[in-house]
């Protein structure tokens, strides 16, 4: 057994990371033991099948990953802040930009969105849970252990270093001989399977479990966006599954898919990756559109302008998202006809997106707007995202793209799209739905402080990158000489990155502060909102709704409040609930070891773990637990307690 | 659990009907998965470098037997579900057993085929064409193998618990899976073997 390959040498930063990981692990274990919380952790969280708790765990993991990816970002900005910096070497810089991209998209933006989806969707459609609560737990634990597998790569064996797009031949065993890209293929595979299961689960939930009366065209816009997103997931993720499997075969078993000799084809990887990769962008952006639609309608006190056109524009976007992938590599020689086709389809996406922007603006028009924190993020999103969109159209022109391709202009463009189009949205959604889950709002004053830090620093960080790109600075270069003149703008960008960090620290501090001091909300509807999730108590009881609501209009709660249409007409009866199970967690752990052993080509342990996976799945099949009932009396008591009445 | 007696057992509860719909969505995801593998294969089919081409290694004999086995097993799983609908536990077990045995025979022949290819010097590492061939066939074969294990677990549960809404639901979903593998095989037979032999 060669222990040498597990070690990562030479970098004081990595030794620091090792020590901090070890200390954090010891701290968590000691803390749990001292406060006797192991049982609580196992019973209430690790074995839960409750969509709200699973959602909260997704969001917690996403926040952790936000800081991990954020530290990567600050290290990159520091390394390029001045000419000839010696903070990171080339190899370490490669690893940092690779994991930054992977973590921010796959382990921050996606789980944050899936977390909000988990918490809100069953409530918005008036359901008691998702269609398959146990599978939902499987999804979470596969995502979680996939993310963990990628994170340990940093200290055991080395991180992937061929960019988040891992182009071949660079990512092949020949040019990337460390285990880094093995981690890439296996960590993404494991969490990707989890995402695919989420996709199936939510399609069934939304199509089959809506409250009586909620026709498809009466669904809230966030629910629509999530439905369309999950359809994209179900069609796009299998392509990633195959691409990653082929990558694994190439790297571990010497197959010839993406090699340079023996009939391999490196461009096949680029095509497969982006056939998944471009729809992936819409997987994170469409739910964001849904979140913004909810927030704009609520805080303008108007119903959403152009509901039908909103739905159809999302459907068109989802269709087009599969027809634009080659615009990621116009310069790689596929010829004029192909480039023209993808140029046109790419520009066509601007049309439905523009429709949505105008619908939001018309919703705001003559509305009674209140400037709460979630609304501020939404209002900032519109102009900033438009800059991202317009520069996207510039990049979409194949002939012009030869100038911009792989420059910092591109980097600036996708940060201008993804940060307002996903990060601002999840932060806005986080502030908006926080009182629903925890029963109190986040402090508005601190929230607005964080908002201004984030919004200003964002532009200070990324606007200079447009200019740097036009000046000729390519992406992914770890340093440059003074004569290039890139120095001052990069320094400005670094200052902005620090400002962003401050903003996010205030945001997290706000959670702590509000937990301690913010007054509790007993109404369940602190924003005077419009959709069903606000019709139940906050914090939400385990069964969501004591009585399943009856829906007649689009903004069901709003019409209930305005026109006195009763939502809950039936008597409270006993409620069926799924029971908790530890098997999804165990499955995640076994998958983690399976992936880890494969990364290091340890065949016998990998086979044992593989058999373990099949055994856990068989054990799940033999489960004959059909859940339990909460008696009506208990439901009535809980309802009274949550409304602040004495029993 | 509310049981709706007007529907077949496998659809009788809301959970059951959700599971069947969910499995259709899963099969919807299997289509892009296999479509991607077929695309990779068709891109790679002429890239056999210094290794053998399809024409040189494919033999129609074993492939015809594989096809016969898998198509017949799709018919017998249909008979098993038919027996299940009538509540004939024994007939259902027999037909399901025949299905799984034919699946097992299919896997056996496929493995023999793989050994023959490797023996002739056509390995996963030889060329882009052979890599894509082995992975396409292997993915289908892995599905059949998984189906064999899964089907065995379900047969055991029916043997122990009899035909009830839960087991009927599992058996029905398994039959969907098995039919799907048959459909994929028809594409493999046409686009890999027949096209390769022409």
């Amino acid at each position: 057994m060669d222990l040498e390959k597990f070690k990562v040498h030479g970098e004081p930063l990595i030794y620091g990371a090792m020590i901090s990981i070890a200390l954090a692990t010891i701290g968590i274990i000691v803390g749990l033991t001292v406060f006797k919380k192991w049982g609580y952790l196992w019973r209430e969280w690790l074995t839960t099948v409750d969509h709200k708790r699973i959602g909260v765990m997704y969001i917690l993991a996403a926040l952790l990953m936000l800081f991990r990816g954020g530290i990567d970002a600050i290290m990159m900005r520091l390394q390029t802040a001045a000419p000839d910096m010696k903070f990171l070497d080339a190899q370490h810089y490669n690893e940092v930009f690779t994991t930054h991209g992977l973590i921010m998209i796959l382990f921050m933006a996606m789980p944050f969105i899936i977390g909000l989806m988990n918490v809100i969707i069953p409530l918005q459609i008036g359901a008691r849970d998702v269609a398959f609560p146990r599978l939902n737990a499987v999804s979470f634990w596969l995502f979680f252990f996939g993310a963990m597998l990628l994170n340990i790569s940093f200290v055991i064996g080395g991180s992937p270093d061929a960019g988040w797009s891992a182009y071949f031949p660079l990512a092949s065993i020949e040019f990337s001989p460390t285990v880094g890209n093995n981690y890439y293929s296996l960590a993404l595979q494991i969490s990707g399977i989890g995402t695919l299961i989420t996709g199936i689960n939510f399609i069934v939930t939304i199509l089959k479990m809506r409250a009586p009366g909620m026709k498809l065209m009466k669904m809230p816009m966030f629910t629509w966006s999530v439905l369309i997103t999950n359809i994209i997931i179900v069609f796009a993720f299998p392509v990633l599954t195959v691409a990653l499997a082929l990558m694994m075969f190439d790297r571990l078993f010497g197959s010839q898919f993406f090699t340079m000799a023996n009939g391999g084809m490196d461009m096949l990887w680029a095509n497969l990756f982006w056939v998944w990769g471009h729809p992936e962008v819409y997987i994170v952006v469409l739910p964001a559109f849904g979140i913004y639609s909810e927030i704009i309608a609520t805080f303008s006190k108007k119903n959403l302008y152009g509901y039908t056109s909103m739905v159809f524009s999302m459907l068109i976007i989802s269709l087009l998202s599969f027809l634009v992938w080659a615009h990621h590599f116009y310069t790689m020689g596929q010829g004029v006809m192909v480039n023209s086709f993808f140029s046109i389809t790419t520009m066509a996406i601007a049309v439905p997106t523009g429709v949505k922007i105008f619908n939001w603006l018309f919703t705001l028009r003559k509305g009674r707007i209140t400037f709460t924190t979630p609304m501020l993020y939404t209002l900032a999103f519109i102009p900033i995202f438009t800059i991202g969109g317009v520069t996207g159209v510039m990049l979409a022109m194949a002939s012009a793209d030869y100038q911009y391709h792989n420059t910092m202009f591109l980097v600036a463009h996708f940060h201008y799209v993804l940060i307002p189009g996903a990060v601002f949205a999840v932060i806005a959604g986080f502030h908006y739905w926080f009182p629903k889950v925890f029963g109190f709002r986040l402090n508005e004053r601190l929230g607005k402080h964080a908002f201004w830090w984030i919004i200003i620093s964002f532009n200070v960080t990324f606007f200079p990158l447009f200019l740097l790109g036009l000046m000729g600075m390519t992406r992914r270069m770890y340093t440059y000489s003074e004569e290039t003149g890139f120095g001052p703008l990069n320094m400005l960008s670094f200052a902005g990155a620090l400002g962003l960090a401050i903003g996010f620290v205030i945001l997290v501090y706000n959670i702590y502060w509000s937990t301690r001091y913010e007054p509790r909300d007993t109404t369940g509807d602190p924003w005077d909102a419009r959709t069903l999730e606000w019709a139940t108590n906050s914090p939400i009881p385990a069964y969501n709704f004591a009585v399943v609501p009856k829906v007649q209009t689009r903004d069901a709660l709003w019409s209930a409040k305005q026109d006195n249409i009763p939502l809950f007409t039936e008597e409270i009866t006993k409620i069926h609930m799924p029971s908790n199970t530890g098997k999804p967690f165990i499955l995640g752990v076994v998958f983690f070891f399976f992936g880890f052993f494969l990364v290091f080509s340890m065949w016998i342990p990998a086979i044992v773990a593989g058999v373990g996976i099949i055994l856990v799945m068989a054990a799940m099949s033999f489960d004959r637990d059909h859940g339990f009932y909460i008696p009506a009396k208990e439901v009535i008591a809980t309802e009274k307690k949550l409304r602040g009445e004495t029993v | 659990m509310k049981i709706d007696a007007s529907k077949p057992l496998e659809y009788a509860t809301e959970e059951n009907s959700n599971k069947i719909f969910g499995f259709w969505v899963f099969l919807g995801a299997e289509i892009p998965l296999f479509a991607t593998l077929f695309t990779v294969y068709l891109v790679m089919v002429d890239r056999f470098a210094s290794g053998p081409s399809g024409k040189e290694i494919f033999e129609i004999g074993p492939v015809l037997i594989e096809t016969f086995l898998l198509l017949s097993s799709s018919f017998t799983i249909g008979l098993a579900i038919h027996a299940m609908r009538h509540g004939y536990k024994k007939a259902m077990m027999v037909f399901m057993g025949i299905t799984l045995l034919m699946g097992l025979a299919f896997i056996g022949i496929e493995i023999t085929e793989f050994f023959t290819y490797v023996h002739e010097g056509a390995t996963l590492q030889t060329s882009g064409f052979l890599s894509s061939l082995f992975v396409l066939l292997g993915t289908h074969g892995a599905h059949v193998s998984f189906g064999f294990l899964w089907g065995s677990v379900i047969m055991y549960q029916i043997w122990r618990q009899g035909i009830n809404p839960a087991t009927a639901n599992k058996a029905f979903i398994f039959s969907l899976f098995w039919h799907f593998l048959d459909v994929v095989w028809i594409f493999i037979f046409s686009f890999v073997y027949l096209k390769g032999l022409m």
Side-chain angles (χ1 to χ4, degrees), chain A residues 214-284:
Chain A
M214 187 182 276
K215 301 266 190 323
L216 277 179
M217 289 310 268
K218 282 181 185 165
M219 293 198 307
M221 195 48 66
F222 180 59
T223 305
W224 255 116
S225 71
V226 167
L227 174 64
I228 294 169
T229 301
N230 282 300
I231 294 172
I232 303 181
I233 286 179
V234 165
F235 281 99
F237 265 75
V239 183
L240 178 73
T241 305
V242 171
L244 291 171
L246 303 188
M247 179 189 205
M248 184 187 80
F249 275 108
D250 260 20
R251 291 187 54 90
L252 295 182
F253 307 118
S255 61
Q256 308 281 352
F257 287 105
F258 311 126
T259 51
M260 300 296 283
N262 299 321
M265 192 198 268
D266 50 345
M267 279 308 290
L268 184 61
W269 167 265
N271 279 284
L272 291 179
F273 181 83
W274 287 114
V275 167
W276 160 78
H278 201 87
E280 166 68 13
V281 176
Y282 292 94
I283 291 170
V284 294

Side-chain angles (χ1 to χ4, degrees), chain A residues 262-313:
Chain A
N262 299 321
M265 192 198 268
D266 50 345
M267 279 308 290
L268 184 61
W269 167 265
N271 279 284
L272 291 179
F273 181 83
W274 287 114
V275 167
W276 160 78
H278 201 87
E280 166 68 13
V281 176
Y282 292 94
I283 291 170
V284 294
V285 169
L286 286 182
F289 289 173
I291 295 170
Y292 289 136
S293 301
E294 300 289 336
I295 290 173
I296 285 185
T298 299
F299 295 110
S300 304
K301 292 272 174 293
K302 283 175 67 187
N303 49 2
L304 193 66
Y305 184 91
Y307 178 96
T308 316
S309 65
M310 280 293 203
V311 172
F312 277 95
S313 60

Side-chain angles (χ1 to χ4, degrees), chain B residues 19-30:
Chain B
K19 278 182 176 164
I20 292 171
F21 180 60
F23 199 79
W24 278 108
V25 180
F26 170 76
L27 291 182
E30 289 271 63

